[in-house]
């Protein structure tokens, strides 16, 4: 499911119309409508629309994607398949945070 499909699905789950979203975000209805129909919105427009849906945009590392999807579907517990710190080592720093090293 595309990101724009997720916006529509979330809006419908909240029982909001496209006009409701325009009112919640300060956009004009046509602007929000274009977003759902596959327009090419700017990042700040996506963030504004997410706020209107009581949601957040998040980057998920590919190696965690399936675990996050399973968690969202309720198929696994909150920590199964997810590290306590999923970002550790992401930038090649396997020894942990700089502040942790300074404390030792």
């Amino acid at each position: 499911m595309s990101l724009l499909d997720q916006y529509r699905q979330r809006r419908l789950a909240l029982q909001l119309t496209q006009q409701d979203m325009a009112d919640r975000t300060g956009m004009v209805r046509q602007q929000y409508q274009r977003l759902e129909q596959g327009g090419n919105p700017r990042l700040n427009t996506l963030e504004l629309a997410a706020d209107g849906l009581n949601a957040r945009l998040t980057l998920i590392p590919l190696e965690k994607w399936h675990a996050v999807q399973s968690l969202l579907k309720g198929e696994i517990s909150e920590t199964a398949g997810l590290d306590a710190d999923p970002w550790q080592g992401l930038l090649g720093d396997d020894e942990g945070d700089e502040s942790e090293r300074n404390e030792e």
Side-chain angles (χ1 to χ4, degrees):
M1 175 182 311
S2 77
L3 177 61
L4 302 181
D5 290 335
Q6 291 177 56
Y7 275 93
R8 183 175 190 276
Q9 184 179 45
R10 174 73 174 160
R11 177 179 60 80
L12 294 174
L14 294 173
Q15 299 179 341
L16 298 170
T17 65
Q18 289 180 342
Q19 184 61 54
D20 293 333
M21 285 302 298
D23 295 341
R24 291 177 77 146
T25 61
M27 295 180 194
V28 294
R29 185 188 56 77
Q30 291 85 351
Q31 182 182 13
Y32 185 81
Q33 184 180 28
R34 278 192 306 270
L35 184 149
E36 282 190 6
Q37 290 179 346
N40 190 15
R42 292 187 228 161
L43 178 58
N44 62 345
T45 301
L46 293 171
E47 290 173 335
L48 183 63
D51 286 344
L53 294 167
N54 298 326
R56 294 288 177 263
L57 296 178
T58 303
L59 292 177
I60 302 169
L62 285 176
E63 63 272 11
K64 305 295 182 189
W65 176 250
H66 294 292
V68 170
Q69 288 296 306
S70 295
L71 176 63
L72 293 173
K73 292 177 184 174
E75 296 172 354
I76 61 173
S77 70
E78 289 188 26
T79 57
L82 298 173
D83 300 332
D85 182 2
W87 303 109
Q88 184 165 348
L90 185 65
L91 300 176
D93 181 10
D94 294 330
E95 296 183 28
D97 188 83
E98 181 70 28
S99 62
E100 291 176 0
R101 286 191 291 249
N102 291 337
E103 292 176 8
E104 295 176 359

